[in-house]
Amino acid sequence: MKVAVLKGGRSLERQVSLRSGARVEDALHRLGHDVLPIDVGPDLVDRLVGDRPDVAFVALHGRGGEDGTVQELLELLDVPYTASGPSACIRCMDKVVSKHVLRDAGIPTPDFYAFSQTAFGELGAARALPAIEERLAFPLVVKPAGQGSALGIKFAASAADVPGAIVAAFSYDTKVLLERYVAGRDLAVSIIEGPDGPEALPVVEAVPQGDDFYDFEARYEIGRTHFTCPAQLPAGASERAAELALRTYRALGCFGFARIDLMLDGESGELTVLEANAIPGLTETSLLPLAAEAAGIGFDALIERLLQLAATRVPAA
Amino acid sequence: MPPRSSARDLERYAGLFAARTQVMKSTAMRDLMAVTDQPDIISLAGGLPDTSTFPAEDFSALMARVGAESSAAALQYGPTEGLGAVKACIVEVMAAEGMEVEPEDLLVTTGGQQVIDLVCRALIDPGDVILAEGPTYPGAVPVFHSYQADVVQIEMDEDGMRIDVLQDTLERLDRDGRKPKFIYTIPSFQNPAGVTMNLERRRALVRLAAERELLVLEDNPYGLLRYEGDPLPTLFSLDGGEYVIYLGTFSKILSPGLRLGWTAAPHPVLEKLALGKAAADLCSAALSQHFVVAYFANRDWRAYLRGLVELYRRRRDTMLDALAEHLPREADWTRPRGGLFVWARLPGYIDTTDLLARALRENVAFVPGRGAFLDGRGGSEMRLNFSGVHEDDIREGVRRIGKVVREQVELFSTLTGSEPARDPRPASPAERPNVVPMPRRGAQGR
């Protein structure tokens, strides 16, 4: 098959995307496909129209690639592509939207309040902050609605930290959320579509090394976080995490694959879903390939499966 | 195409990496900087001289001359310490800043950057202390990390490194039984702060080094790029070559593409540096060295430098005017008398790493201040380059930065119910040990 690998682009996750893309290209070569690497830019449509790939493998992360924009374009050009369609991408990329979907579907997610920049400017939303802080309690987490990586996520230990954290989060998006902080274990469940529908892969746990508890960045750095798969969890927790992840995947309307991030509360043992990634990383250190390998699915087999799913999918529109 | 490494490969290699490869650079910063080199972005993040000012026909003619006159030698290895003819050019450049050296005092290096590496290689064991300015040259940070040095940063003000703080720090280290191996400083038009150490402090620093038998690494890439004021003597000339290791470079007065710098140092130190250089790369590129020799013999390097000074002075003025026009009152910045950079400080609640993400959406980039500190400070500061950017782009770039800064200042005041014009920082520099206190905009007479 002639496969266009879409990677890079202008998002802040450009570097990760280039690495995911390069690794996918290697696998495609090994699988005997005709590979067309595309660093996504203003010539994307021309290249897709000119080269007419059989399938587009979307290895983009973040804005533009993971938020439904590229998927809309691919639908328009009638190019089959991997992973979720535009609407699921939009739901996953926007944490406010996805958390509302989760809540409506009865899937536990940490309490939250979301604001747009105009709410603060025109509706005086700042006056509501003390009430929110009281309900969520400290420390709380402030996040931009639409940023895939750890960028812009801050802990606020007290009320004095909140305004600065909100200002920082608005650097990444016009919408931010304040979320209850769950102290506990950091889990990720990857889902891939099998012959009988979506399947949950073994749970991965991210264990930060050292005691820099509040450092989100550490999670993404080799050596600063240790990953175990399958995670050693209390009885029943893995099954429950898999079930929640599958429900999340379906509720958000994902297709092909996705990664669902969860927290296991250290005290209550309660599981909550933090977010879903419609196009999880595929680099050498990414969690989905790690989980697939633990389930006996090698990287090449994973890529081939995603490709076949894309080629045979019924158009979403 | 050969396959790249798989996940298992990476795990296999992970156990082999040395502890010093565990760099501290934040992934966030790396991801952000990766986006700054896109073509439609106005980047004030570079540290680049404007090489487009070097006449292409001169370059061709000089290369042709090198080819015709010294082809075999230019294609050959050279001596580790550098070509004698290049050293003669270096003697001339150093004389232009009032320094007298003999060719045997010099080691030609692969860029000034190599000098920092060689000095660390010769002096630093893991855990040894280096004293540096805060903020310091961001490019030195990974070198210090890779030798596992313990870096203590000394605050600055508009007159450069504060010697009183340096003294206090030395005494504190004494009490802990620790002696720093060297003091790293850029006294003139510092990168990134843009400030210059005054004469009194230069004398005091040299005296202190002699008293305590401490080495000083004087990094002086910009000394000849002076846009106003009188030249100040270098630490090297004040010290007479006893305790000061001097670092010079052709990068800013000719071209960074040549990758040629040099060091002048006390002979016992120079010998160790030369041994390190032989281990690192045997010798610097002969082709580049022959080009420099041909250039100095056939062109007026001082005239080219004068042209650069004129150009960069205009660009600096453009940037300072644009900053005055577009940044809110809550911000302040240095007013460099030379060099390539302005250092700006924003209110403490603005994180310039996050701000860069916002700025990139407006297609403008700068260097967030954290990159100039090894201890997480500098979060509300930024480095702005003017030398490598056309005046229109400087104006537009600063306008865009001003827009996003104002946006955040207003948002913060909305969130806290405070007046936007309020100065949220403490007034006394002593309460803000990590920042360069700078005159308020109104006090600058513009």
Side-chain angles (χ1 to χ4, degrees):
Chain A
M1 267 195 286
K2 188 172 181 181
V3 186
V5 177
L6 309 190
K7 59 179 181 176
R10 273 291 292 273
S11 101
L12 298 177
E13 290 168 83
R14 172 178 173 80
Q15 285 301 87
V16 184
S17 166
L18 289 174
R19 281 167 52 210
S20 288
R23 192 161 178 233
V24 168
E25 286 161 25
D26 289 344
L28 292 170
H29 279 297
R30 286 192 295 268
L31 293 162
H33 295 292
D34 188 5
V35 182
L36 185 70
I38 299 180
D39 187 345
V40 172
D43 60 347
L44 176 64
V45 171
D46 289 344
R47 293 197 61 181
L48 290 172
V49 170
D51 289 315
R52 294 296 330 162
D54 300 310
V55 177
F57 197 108
V58 185
L60 294 160
H61 308 308
R63 202 185 294 273
E66 206 173 346
D67 65 0
T69 312
V70 161
Q71 289 77 6
E72 296 268 19
L73 215 52
L74 291 163
E75 299 259 342
L76 189 72
L77 297 173
D78 227 3
V79 178
Y81 58 91
T82 55
S84 295
S87 62
C89 284
I90 292 165
R91 284 190 286 269
C92 288
M93 188 68 192
D94 187 327
K95 291 189 187 83
V96 178
V97 174
S98 42
K99 283 174 73 82
H100 276 293
V101 171
L102 294 178
R103 199 189 254 171
D104 291 350
I107 299 166
T109 184
D111 289 344
F112 68 101
Y113 295 90
F115 295 98
S116 65
Q117 202 153 344
T118 45
F120 286 111
E122 292 166 15
L123 305 177
R127 307 280 291 166
L129 283 178
I132 290 169
E133 289 160 6
E134 197 179 323
R135 284 187 207 181
L136 296 178
F138 290 104
L140 54 83
V141 187
V142 182
K143 299 174 173 179
Q147 177 59 38
S149 69
L151 289 167
I153 302 182
K154 302 244 194 265
F155 278 88
S158 69
D161 295 338
V162 172
I166 291 176
V167 169
F170 275 126
S171 298
Y172 299 87
D173 203 340
T174 52
K175 217 160 49 170
V176 302
L177 62 154
L178 283 69
E179 192 181 56
R180 183 172 66 84
Y181 172 65
V182 181
R185 297 167 73 175
D186 219 323
L187 309 178
V189 177
S190 298
I191 308 280
I192 56 172
E193 211 102 15
D196 307 318
E199 297 166 20
L201 297 174
V203 182
V204 180
E205 179 176 10
V207 187
Q209 303 296 290
D211 52 8
D212 204 355
F213 208 57
Y214 291 152
D215 187 356
F216 273 102
E217 267 191 41
R219 293 185 189 180
Y220 296 82
E221 235 156 306
I222 305 171
R224 292 179 69 189
T225 301
H226 183 74
F227 297 103
T228 51
C229 184
Q232 302 302 308
L233 301 180
S238 296
E239 294 74 14
R240 170 89 175 131
E243 181 221 322
L244 283 178
L246 281 167
R247 281 174 60 196
T248 301
Y249 184 91
R250 291 199 181 94
L252 293 168
C254 297
F255 178 79
F257 71 157
R259 194 191 77 225
I260 318 297
D261 294 344
L262 306 96
M263 285 302 295
L264 176 64
D265 192 308
E267 280 181 19
S268 68
E270 188 201 358
L271 277 160
T272 45
V273 175
L274 292 180
E275 62 175 273
N277 302 273
I279 307 178
L282 295 169
T283 72
E284 289 85 350
T285 51
S286 297
L287 306 190
L288 185 135
L290 182 72
E293 203 144 325
I297 306 165
F299 191 72
D300 292 5
L302 172 69
I303 298 305
E304 184 64 28
R305 189 191 287 195
L306 293 173
L307 212 56
Q308 295 308 328
L309 278 167
T312 56
R313 93 196 287 181
V314 183
Chain B
M1 186 187 284
R4 270 174 268 242
S5 59
S6 71
R8 244 178 270 107
D9 284 341
L10 195 89
E11 277 168 33
R12 190 168 69 214
Y13 301 139
L16 302 174
F17 294 128
R20 63 178 171 275
T21 65
Q22 301 255 350
V23 290
M24 300 297 289
K25 183 156 186 187
S26 108
T27 42
M29 190 99 84
R30 212 161 39 213
D31 288 349
L32 287 171
M33 295 315 285
V35 189
T36 63
D37 61 359
Q38 299 286 305
D40 48 351
I41 286 181
I42 296 178
S43 180
L44 306 176
L48 307 183
D50 191 336
T51 48
S52 72
T53 58
F54 195 88
E57 58 277 17
D58 282 13
F59 181 68
S60 309
L62 292 167
M63 286 307 273
R65 190 178 278 264
V66 170
E69 293 174 2
S70 12
S71 167
L75 295 173
Q76 191 51 272
Y77 293 108
T80 297
E81 65 272 20
L83 292 183
V86 170
K87 291 186 176 185
C89 305
I90 293 168
V91 168
E92 201 180 322
V93 173
M94 288 181 74
E97 281 195 86
M99 290 174 279
E100 277 179 42
V101 285
E102 301 295 329
E104 61 267 24
D105 302 333
L106 296 169
L107 173 69
V108 178
T109 58
T110 302
Q113 184 77 16
Q114 189 176 40
V115 178
I116 304 174
D117 186 80
L118 294 177
V119 169
C120 288
R121 189 188 286 240
L123 300 178
I124 299 300
D125 287 315
D128 279 351
V129 177
I130 299 173
L131 298 177
E133 287 144 344
T136 191
Y137 165 48
V141 172
V143 185
F144 297 157
H145 272 314
S146 69
Y147 288 94
Q148 296 167 284
D150 191 357
V151 181
V152 179
Q153 291 186 269
I154 309 293
E155 72 191 71
M156 289 188 287
D157 59 22
E158 57 268 39
D159 292 317
M161 186 192 286
R162 281 185 51 187
I163 304 300
D164 56 332
V165 178
L166 173 66
Q167 251 162 336
D168 290 349
T169 306
L170 286 168
E171 279 160 27
R172 181 168 55 77
L173 288 167
D174 271 347
R175 287 196 294 274
D176 297 343
R178 307 183 76 187
K179 182 184 168 177
K181 286 294 183 68
F182 69 92
I183 301 168
Y184 174 68
T185 174
I186 305 177
S188 295
F189 323 126
Q190 203 248 11
N191 176 4
V195 298
T196 294
M197 192 186 291
N198 68 18
L199 182 57
E200 188 191 337
R201 289 191 188 175
R202 286 175 192 236
R203 290 209 167 103
L205 176 58
V206 166
R207 201 164 49 233
L208 202 61
E211 279 166 17
R212 289 183 164 259
E213 301 189 329
L214 276 175
L215 286 166
V216 176
L217 174 54
E218 177 180 32
D219 188 352
N220 186 31
Y222 319 112
L224 290 167
L225 296 175
R226 172 177 289 276
Y227 315 136
E228 61 185 66
D230 297 322
L232 290 171
T234 61
L235 301 175
F236 184 79
S237 56
L238 291 171
D239 160 80
E242 290 287 318
Y243 291 99
V244 175
I245 304 170
Y246 182 83
L247 182 167
T249 176
F250 288 109
S251 293
K252 309 301 186 294
I253 60 169
L254 176 53
S255 143
L258 295 169
R259 306 308 308 125
L260 279 185
W262 67 86
T263 178
H267 280 211
V269 178
L270 198 69
E271 277 169 34
K272 290 287 185 199
L273 300 182
L275 281 174
K277 169 143 181 91
D281 63 357
L282 300 179
C283 62
S284 293
L287 183 57
S288 291
Q289 295 187 62
H290 280 277
F291 179 85
V292 167
V293 173
Y295 173 68
F296 273 70
N298 298 287
R299 295 290 186 279
D300 182 354
W301 69 272
R302 287 185 178 80
Y304 179 61
L305 184 63
R306 279 195 295 275
L308 286 180
V309 166
E310 285 304 311
L311 179 72
Y312 296 167
R313 182 192 288 123
R314 281 200 305 276
R315 289 179 178 177
R316 176 204 61 166
D317 291 345
T318 300
M319 177 166 279
L320 291 174
D321 289 347
L323 287 167
E325 185 179 347
H326 296 296
L327 283 204
R329 276 179 53 178
E330 287 81 357
D332 46 23
W333 54 90
T334 53
R335 192 170 195 287
R337 284 169 278 162
L340 313 181
F341 305 106
V342 171
W343 182 250
R345 187 185 58 195
L346 305 178
Y349 53 80
I350 294 184
D351 183 315
T352 48
T353 305
D354 296 316
L355 185 75
L356 177 59
R358 176 70 189 90
L360 285 169
R361 293 216 306 276
E362 302 289 329
N363 286 336
V364 64
F366 52 81
V367 175
R370 270 199 199 91
F373 287 89
L374 291 93
D375 54 10
R377 289 187 288 168
S380 297
E381 284 141 61
M382 62 166 81
R383 190 188 76 176
L384 300 167
N385 169 263
F386 53 81
S387 61
V389 190
H390 290 279
E391 286 176 51
D392 288 347
D393 282 347
I394 291 173
R395 271 188 287 269
E396 178 59 19
V398 171
R399 189 192 65 77
R400 292 177 192 177
I401 290 172
K403 179 186 163 195
V404 296
V405 171
R406 278 172 194 282
E407 188 182 288
Q408 300 212 327
V409 167
E410 278 160 28
L411 179 60
F412 185 83
S413 64
T414 307
L415 288 168
T416 55
S418 62
E419 290 295 307
R422 188 187 67 127
D423 186 344
R425 289 181 304 269
S428 158
E431 294 169 58
R432 296 184 268 111
N434 62 328
V435 294
V436 188
M438 287 161 282
R440 311 262 356 141
R441 185 149 45 96
Q444 289 175 8
R446 265 176 296 122

